Amino acid sequence: MDKTINVTLKIWRQKGPKVKGAFETYKLDNISTDSSFLEMLDILNEQLVSKGQEPVVFDHDCREGICGACSLYINGHPHGPDDSVTTCQLHMRRFKDGETITIEPWRSAGFPVIRDLMVDRQAFEKIMQSGGYVSVNTGGVPDANAIGISKIDADEAMDSASCIGCGACVAACKNGSAMLFVSAKVSQLALLPQGRIEAARRAKAMVARMDELGFGNCTNTGACEAECPKNVSITNIARLNREFISAKLKD
Amino acid sequence: MTKIDAKIPQGPLAEKWSYYKSHQKLVNPANKRRLDIIVVGTGLAGASAAASLGELGFNVMNFCISDSPRRAHSIAAQGGINAAKNYQNDGDSVYRLFYDTIKGGDYRAREANVYRLAEVSNDIIDQCVAQGVPFAREYGGLLDNRSFGGAQVSRTFYAKGQTGQQLLLGAYSALSRQIEKKTVKLYTRYEMVDLVVIDGRARGIIARNLVTGKLERFAAHAVVIATGGYGNTFFLSTNAMNCNGSAAWQCYKKGAYFANPCMAQIHPTCIPVHGEFQSKLTLMSESLRNDGRIWVPKKKEDAAAIRAGKMKPTQIKEEDRDYYLERRYPAFGNLVPRDVASRAAKERCDAGFGVGNTGLAVYLDFSDAINRLGENVVRARYGNLFQMYEKIVDDNPYETPMMIYPAIHYTMGGTWVDYELQTSVPGLFAIGEANFSDHGANRLGASALMQGLADGYFVLPYTIQNYLADQIRVPRFSTELPEFASAEKEIQDRIAKLMSIKGKRTVDSIHKELGLIMWDFVGMGRNEEGLKTAIEKLKAVKKEFWSNVFIPGSGSDMNTELEKALRVADFIEIGELMARDALDRQESCGGHFREEYQTEEGEALRQDDKFSYVSCWKYMGEGQDPELIKEPLDYEFIVRQQRNYKA
Ligand SMILES: Cc1cc2nc3c(=O)[nH]c(=O)nc-3n(C[C@H](O)[C@H](O)[C@H](O)COP(=O)(O)OP(=O)(O)OC[C@H]3O[C@@H](n4cnc5c(N)ncnc54)[C@H](O)[C@@H]3O)c2cc1C
Ligand code: SF4
Ligand code: FES
């Protein structure tokens, strides 16, 4: 038989970006420890709707840790207490019977709240648009095996490319910096010969856009790396800094 | 009788696409700027199409439900993407990829489309590498490959267990570049709620702004839907939560035929269902079947002991294990196509050999691979999948075999399109999983990513021009036209109706009820009686929904329950069409298994003389039976055979 627990939830409710929000408390009984955190919220929402109330709004889609849609600050941690997982992969077996769980949206100037636990991450889109790509059009490219790439570089690029764009790094950072997110993309492309050509230009453009959008400065606290659900490494930031400095020197 | 024309170009198979391209009409650069194209969806198909059309100079509007194009369902694809590169020198070729895809699809796909798909597959890999997609490589610096079900060559390219993610990020980066250049305007958190048809041509959409809840109108010279599949009709599936069939269903109601709705794929390797609260099922990639061996206990008493928690799989001796796929299909072993592997698992479980506490599970065992290759190699290949499994099930697959069971995964059926990917409504195109085109009755692993990107990068950007070349004199449309007003009013009324029901059931509770009916009667094994029962039951569910659903909040504000309700209303009708189509198709082929039509050994039995056609369903109005139009599948180049994965 499944084990079940009872929990108390303190959830941030906020009707809209300009409306004042507040915590609401809900009690949930008999939650299977095999259910995921979001399934627990589904159960809450089913109960709220059955009582004629509006459900708690939160972003989610894949529910397997890859789309980056889910967010949530759970008991003071982005994506909750478990390591290397997103909120949707978190399971209730990580919580104790009788525990009070506090659930908040990402809190960062860069990500305004839309409703309840849903935030606006358009700023990440704008950073990507400023240069998070290799400038090639469809067609007319060389054969895929024309350029060899060392396995080590390819694997490292893959690690940087695992960023899911969730924004936990920004939410975790006391300065609200987006450096881990930006550096992951810059590193991935700088490590590959295809992306190398524009590496300097890309680093400058993405950092400039990040600054323009009001994200804070990086002071190397390492909070981002600790909370990143995909273990994106802070060494990416060092690489970004190198790219950035060499780009500036060339100016 | 409505006639159907797939517009297959003339000439030998291998020359059709070149012939088409050299004879089609094109639009010159100055005119492209004056032509507007709506692309709905930002998955592999939508993002690659929007980016490529933007690069060509068209004025593109691109829509998605999520807050970022990168979060489309394509992001979740794990295993890989096929191409006929023959980098492994193992005998692959365009023809072989074509042949495997036709055979894998149980001879129910169009030859010309599939050949073109195989032909452009190599360009996709080149394109992705140029974008900086970090595919797996060998120490020598060249690209690595793995094998997938239904093939005897290694032609699958991959990026760890995150291939869909990396391919989508590639397409998304190309899209982001076009957004910066202002050739594409992006609308996130927008949901298409209707298609606007003017004088018989697709000319725009009505979309609901999901943040404000307001309906908005968008006009264009052509509309492309790239909105994915309808697997979530079953409630529990491997699809992401927002996957839906609604855009395709709106198009169906505006005159686009819906093809082969009953062709749904059940994936053999998913984490088994474990509770009523469950919201979705998680796939364990097919690539695992490269190294994992599937088995159940040979003895019923062992299976019973395992189910009762009295025995562990590791305690069962080698000779007491039934590696049933290797036993039944020696030539392909654990790498038989998905439909075959799924049915074989069901057969063992139905016969009482299933494991797990429900008895609805089989083992996928890596102990041999770990002994042969070492844990590190296995970790490098499948590390993230193993981690995912462990987080969900709380069991370590390096030590105990994984448990898996089939689940709904993909829909081969979809909006009918011709060779140009144009639907039966002129100016409306469908690409990616949303269309029905290339996979016949069963899709091979690693071929959906290939098809989505083929459509978006290399096919649609050509074929759409053949249509648009005639449109260069048509001025931009005003959204004040009466057709826009009436489409908007229709959806406004539908929302008002839903909000006014104020019944007692939640949307999810009805969706779950729908899902169970689908799984029981329109799932892995279907029969005439069950399908008739399903149709009756679905009618009742529809009635219950429209008289007893409850949606809190307001219709003209953000409302996540209303979003779900609009989709579920369509799922119920899609479910009925699936059952109807399954009833019509009195044969077994690929993912469609009619219990009345099987060989003595329990394999699918096609009826080529009667059912070598695409079922195209035409909407005839609310409460009316749809008309079935048949597109004959005349095979010119391949001789149909009974699929054989044994020898
Ligand atoms: C878990 C999993 C693993 C898979 N692994 C593989 C694999 O290894 N290899 C392989 O080849 N295939 C795989 N597949 C299948 C493959 O991922 C999909 O078939 C493919 O990605 C579909 O791409 P698409 O672009 O057609 O649609 P999707 O990626 O589903 O995108 C649909 C888009 O349409 C938008 N949309 C939908 N409706 C509306 C609307 N009404 N208004 C506005 N926007 C809308 C969505 O927001 C989204 O942007 C896998 C599938 C799953 C579920
Ligand atoms: S770097 Fe990590 S925390 Fe930041 S957006 Fe990417 S995945 Fe999320
Ligand atoms: S819902 Fe996709 S990462 Fe959590």
Side-chain angles (χ1 to χ4, degrees), chain A residues 68 79 106 124 160 162-170 178-184 224-225 227-233, chain B residues 70:
Chain A
H79 295 298
W106 286 169
F124 269 13
S160 302
S162 335
C163 165
I164 56 174
C166 63
C169 45
V170 177
M179 276 297 262
L180 193 61
F181 168 75
V182 173
S183 67
C224 52
E225 182 188 59
E227 297 290 6
C228 171
K230 295 292 139 183
N231 304 325
V232 172
S233 160
Chain B
R70 67 182 292 157

Side-chain angles (χ1 to χ4, degrees), chain A residues 39 46 59 61-64 67-68 93 122 125 136-139 143-145 149 161 163 165 188 209, chain B residues 52 55 67-68 70-71 85 87 126-127 132 141 166 172 177 180 189 241-242 279-280 391-392 506:
Chain A
E39 283 166 348
E46 282 290 287
D59 265 317
D61 196 17
C62 72
R63 296 205 174 192
E64 45 191 65
C67 73
R93 59 181 84 93
Q122 288 307 302
E125 296 305 305
V136 291
N137 282 354
T138 303
D143 183 86
N145 258 350
I149 301 176
C163 165
Q188 174 206 338
R209 183 69 57 89
Chain B
S52 304
E55 287 161 9
D67 67 335
S68 166
R70 67 182 292 157
R71 306 203 209 285
K85 284 282 194 187
Y87 283 161
D126 299 342
Q127 188 65 34
Q166 294 309 317
Y172 164 64
R177 178 166 162 252
E180 187 76 3
R189 296 197 198 270
M241 303 299 286
N242 288 330
S279 56
K280 71 159 285 193
K391 291 286 179 191
I392 294 174
T506 62

Side-chain angles (χ1 to χ4, degrees), chain B residues 308-540:
Chain B
K310 289 186 197 133
M311 206 170 169
K312 289 204 166 60
T314 40
Q315 293 168 322
I316 297 194
K317 287 203 282 302
E318 189 59 28
E319 61 269 25
D320 291 334
R321 300 177 176 194
D322 177 14
Y323 296 92
Y324 57 85
L325 289 178
E326 298 170 26
R327 168 170 60 77
R328 284 177 65 178
Y329 308 99
F332 280 69
N334 292 295
L335 285 174
V336 290
R338 293 175 174 176
D339 53 331
V340 178
S342 293
R343 275 196 301 278
K346 180 180 190 302
E347 188 276 329
R348 282 293 81 187
C349 293
D350 288 351
F353 296 93
V355 296
N357 50 12
T358 56
L360 293 177
V362 300
Y363 290 124
L364 178 61
D365 195 335
F366 288 87
S367 51
D368 272 0
I370 292 173
N371 289 339
R372 181 164 42 93
L373 305 161
E375 191 172 315
N376 279 340
V377 175
V378 173
R379 191 182 301 276
R381 283 188 192 161
Y382 311 110
N384 67 325
L385 298 173
F386 279 36
Q387 184 225 18
M388 193 192 271
Y389 183 86
E390 183 164 1
K391 291 286 179 191
I392 294 174
V393 184
D394 208 19
D395 231 358
N396 178 353
Y398 293 99
E399 286 161 14
T400 2
M402 281 185 182
M403 280 192 290
I404 52 163
Y405 198 67
I408 281 283
H409 178 58
Y410 180 89
T411 47
M412 282 74 69
T415 304
W416 181 86
V417 288
D418 60 20
Y419 188 75
E420 298 185 306
L421 304 181
Q422 186 161 214
T423 70
S424 48
V425 176
L428 177 67
F429 295 77
I431 57 177
E433 191 174 338
N435 74 25
F436 89 105
S437 68
D438 296 348
H439 307 294
N442 173 55
R443 172 176 72 79
L444 290 182
S447 284
L449 302 183
M450 169 173 74
Q451 182 228 329
L453 290 180
D455 289 358
Y457 284 135
F458 297 111
V459 180
L460 183 79
Y462 284 88
T463 59
I464 202 170
Q465 294 193 48
N466 203 31
Y467 173 76
L468 288 172
D470 296 337
Q471 301 290 309
I472 49 178
R473 279 189 215 355
V474 180
R476 292 218 146 91
F477 288 87
S478 156
T479 53
E480 297 306 314
L481 291 168
E483 287 85 353
F484 278 93
S486 73
E488 183 178 319
K489 175 149 194 320
E490 232 173 89
I491 181 75
Q492 196 89 58
D493 292 348
R494 191 172 166 87
I495 290 172
K497 171 88 198 346
L498 280 170
M499 296 305 299
S500 73
I501 299 170
K502 299 219 172 303
K504 293 202 164 48
R505 299 277 303 270
T506 62
V507 176
D508 276 0
S509 76
I510 299 179
H511 195 177
K512 283 184 190 180
E513 187 180 332
L514 165 67
L516 285 178
I517 298 171
M518 295 302 292
W519 183 249
D520 287 345
F521 300 104
V522 200
M524 250 188 294
R526 304 160 170 179
N527 59 52
E528 184 179 339
E529 197 196 328
L531 290 166
K532 286 184 172 156
T533 313
I535 291 173
E536 285 318 302
K537 283 181 181 279
L538 291 173
K539 290 206 163 98

Side-chain angles (χ1 to χ4, degrees), chain B residues 521 525-532 582-588 592-600 603-607:
Chain B
F521 300 104
R526 304 160 170 179
N527 59 52
E528 184 179 339
E529 197 196 328
L531 290 166
K532 286 184 172 156
L583 192 59
D584 170 74
R585 194 166 279 276
Q586 294 166 37
E587 65 164 348
S588 294
H592 169 66
F593 192 75
R594 281 285 298 264
E595 286 157 357
E596 304 95 319
Y597 304 92
Q598 50 182 310
T599 64
E600 269 170 29
E603 306 295 343
L605 195 61
R606 291 194 323 265
Q607 306 267 41

Side-chain angles (χ1 to χ4, degrees), chain B residues 12-211:
Chain B
L13 191 58
E15 284 160 34
K16 285 184 191 294
W17 182 228
S18 321
Y19 178 87
Y20 177 88
K21 285 192 292 184
S22 35
H23 291 81
Q24 72 164 115
K25 287 175 275 186
L26 294 171
V27 181
N28 81 22
N31 284 328
K32 284 188 183 123
R33 244 170 289 132
R34 281 189 257 145
L35 292 169
D36 303 333
I37 304 175
I38 286 173
V39 178
V40 188
T42 60
L44 285 177
S48 59
S52 304
L53 293 168
E55 287 161 9
L56 287 170
F58 291 105
N59 181 42
V60 180
M61 287 162 268
N62 191 194
F63 295 80
C64 67
I65 292 175
S66 49
D67 67 335
S68 166
R70 67 182 292 157
R71 306 203 209 285
H73 166 60
S74 295
I75 200 91
Q78 303 169 348
I81 176 166
N82 287 332
K85 284 282 194 187
N86 193 29
Y87 283 161
Q88 306 304 327
N89 194 31
D90 56 359
D92 203 6
S93 62
V94 167
Y95 186 85
R96 192 174 285 272
L97 174 55
F98 155 73
Y99 178 81
D100 286 349
T101 308
I102 290 275
K103 176 184 172 197
D106 220 351
Y107 306 95
R108 290 292 175 264
R110 239 185 240 149
E111 282 182 319
N113 283 58
V114 177
Y115 196 88
R116 175 179 65 191
L117 174 66
E119 227 177 324
V120 302
S121 68
N122 293 339
D123 297 340
I124 297 172
I125 304 303
D126 299 342
Q127 188 65 34
C128 296
V129 167
Q131 290 167 343
V133 170
F135 281 122
R137 287 179 184 266
E138 309 266 17
Y139 279 102
L142 300 183
L143 292 161
D144 191 17
N145 290 115
R146 53 168 58 140
S147 36
F148 251 55
Q152 287 169 315
V153 294
S154 284
R155 61 160 74 98
T156 305
F157 294 80
Y158 66 101
K160 273 200 172 160
Q162 290 140 259
T163 316
Q165 176 193 36
Q166 294 309 317
L167 297 175
L168 183 57
L169 293 182
Y172 164 64
S173 69
L175 176 63
S176 296
R177 178 166 162 252
Q178 293 311 306
I179 295 167
E180 187 76 3
K181 289 189 166 178
K182 302 205 163 35
T183 58
V184 178
K185 185 151 170 35
L186 177 68
Y187 296 87
T188 57
R189 296 197 198 270
Y190 270 80
E191 183 157 352
M192 169 180 173
V193 285
D194 209 354
L195 176 75
V196 178
V197 178
I198 300 177
D199 295 334
R201 291 172 190 263
R203 292 302 192 193
I205 64 168
I206 309 290
R208 187 162 178 275
N209 178 329
L210 299 177
V211 175

Side-chain angles (χ1 to χ4, degrees), chain A residues 48-74:
Chain A
L48 291 177
V49 174
S50 303
K51 284 188 266 182
Q53 297 171 19
E54 288 193 43
V56 178
V57 174
F58 56 91
D59 265 317
H60 64 103
D61 196 17
C62 72
R63 296 205 174 192
E64 45 191 65
I66 195 78
C67 73
C70 65
S71 48
L72 308 191
Y73 229 82
I74 303 163

